[in-house]
Amino acid sequence: MPPLSIAFPPVGFGPGSQPADSEDGLSYLPMPSGMRTYEPHLPEVEDKERLAPAFTALERVLDALNRWVPGSHDSVSISGFDAANRALVDEALGEGEVAVRVTGGGSPLEIQEATFAGVWRVRGADGVDRIEVGAFPRGALLRAFPSHWDIDRTNISLPRPGVVNAPPILAEIAHRTTARLPGTPAHVINFSLLPHTPEDLALIDETLGQGGLTILSRGYGNCRIEAAARRDVWRVRFYNSTDALILDTLEITDLPEVACAAPEDIADSAERLTEVLEAMR
């Protein structure tokens, strides 16, 4: 075997051995970008006497934030406010990252998280107009699922074209939801990692049904959460800033953690709302 020449480096090493930027190489998934950050906004108030109801409501919200402990919930009604007082409340609270639509169990509700985590603006067509303080609006969660929805095991066992892994996945969901107790840690099924076909997903969606609650979180990219008709079952999808699906999961839990305001964020909301009210006065 001839000795290795030192005049020429081995193939695969040195300048020119790797593909240039314009050549085909590793293709990386685009990462999320454009995270929203809090920017304080201080409404200008000229007639404080006329807008006293708005100040009272905001002070009640602040009191609820200061008293909040995990699991607690409070509500402040502003249904009787005139346009000026309602506008001041909305301007002071602003709009945060989480929006909720409730369609189950009665008249639709539109819910918007304020820029203060744990503060939720709730509006409904039947005169509902209030502010809720808590990790997530309790009234919305109560209307997320129909009273009863079974998984038809006979239906899912029937052979269908293109269906491969849906039956065992649905059997797992049926077992987990039947045996589950409130407060049990979330069980996650990651469709992004499991082999499946479009027909599998179609059968899973058909069998689990559609609940009455949809949540959109716009933080680092987008997250869409939809309640199934089967209690405690949530479809959770994450998208990057170009709206490409980057994570597709199903969670069996009381409520996906990503939809809830964290305790430390609620404590921070109390501090920031205190500063806003002091500046407004």
Side-chain angles (χ1 to χ4, degrees), residues 79-167:
S79 59
F81 282 19
D82 61 22
N85 278 279
R86 186 176 289 107
L88 179 59
V89 169
D90 288 340
E91 187 178 4
L93 295 181
E95 290 191 0
E97 298 176 348
V98 182
V100 183
R101 179 165 177 80
V102 184
T103 56
S107 300
L109 293 177
E110 298 286 348
I111 303 174
Q112 176 67 53
E113 186 184 33
T115 53
F116 307 95
V119 179
W120 308 85
R121 188 74 168 81
V122 183
R123 301 178 180 88
D126 54 357
V128 173
D129 200 355
R130 65 178 181 265
I131 303 162
E132 295 192 26
V133 177
F136 190 81
R138 179 177 296 172
L141 192 56
L142 292 173
R143 294 170 53 181
F145 306 103
S147 58
H148 186 71
W149 183 278
D150 273 333
I151 292 179
D152 188 346
R153 294 173 182 261
T154 303
N155 182 48
I156 64 177
S157 65
L158 298 175
R160 299 192 185 197
V163 172
V164 181
N165 284 328

Side-chain angles (χ1 to χ4, degrees), residues 52-229:
F55 277 93
T56 300
L58 292 170
E59 287 164 357
R60 289 182 60 192
V61 170
L62 176 59
D63 179 61
L65 286 169
N66 285 322
R67 291 185 291 102
W68 184 85
V69 293
S72 68
H73 181 271
D74 207 342
S75 179
V76 178
S77 175
I78 61 172
S79 59
F81 282 19
D82 61 22
N85 278 279
R86 186 176 289 107
L88 179 59
V89 169
D90 288 340
E91 187 178 4
L93 295 181
E95 290 191 0
E97 298 176 348
V98 182
V100 183
R101 179 165 177 80
V102 184
T103 56
S107 300
L109 293 177
E110 298 286 348
I111 303 174
Q112 176 67 53
E113 186 184 33
T115 53
F116 307 95
V119 179
W120 308 85
R121 188 74 168 81
V122 183
R123 301 178 180 88
D126 54 357
V128 173
D129 200 355
R130 65 178 181 265
I131 303 162
E132 295 192 26
V133 177
F136 190 81
R138 179 177 296 172
L141 192 56
L142 292 173
R143 294 170 53 181
F145 306 103
S147 58
H148 186 71
W149 183 278
D150 273 333
I151 292 179
D152 188 346
R153 294 173 182 261
T154 303
N155 182 48
I156 64 177
S157 65
L158 298 175
R160 299 192 185 197
V163 172
V164 181
N165 284 328
I169 292 173
L170 286 166
E172 177 183 358
I173 295 169
H175 169 70
R176 292 280 181 172
T177 54
T178 301
R180 185 177 186 278
L181 297 175
T184 302
H187 178 73
V188 180
I189 297 173
N190 191 337
F191 292 121
S192 297
L193 298 179
L194 284 174
H196 62 271
T197 66
E199 290 81 5
D200 282 328
L201 291 183
L203 178 57
I204 290 170
D205 289 341
E206 174 191 330
T207 305
L208 296 178
Q210 182 67 49
L213 183 60
T214 302
I215 307 165
L216 177 63
S217 177
R218 304 166 297 170
Y220 201 51
N222 290 331
C223 175
R224 184 180 181 89
I225 304 169
E226 295 175 292

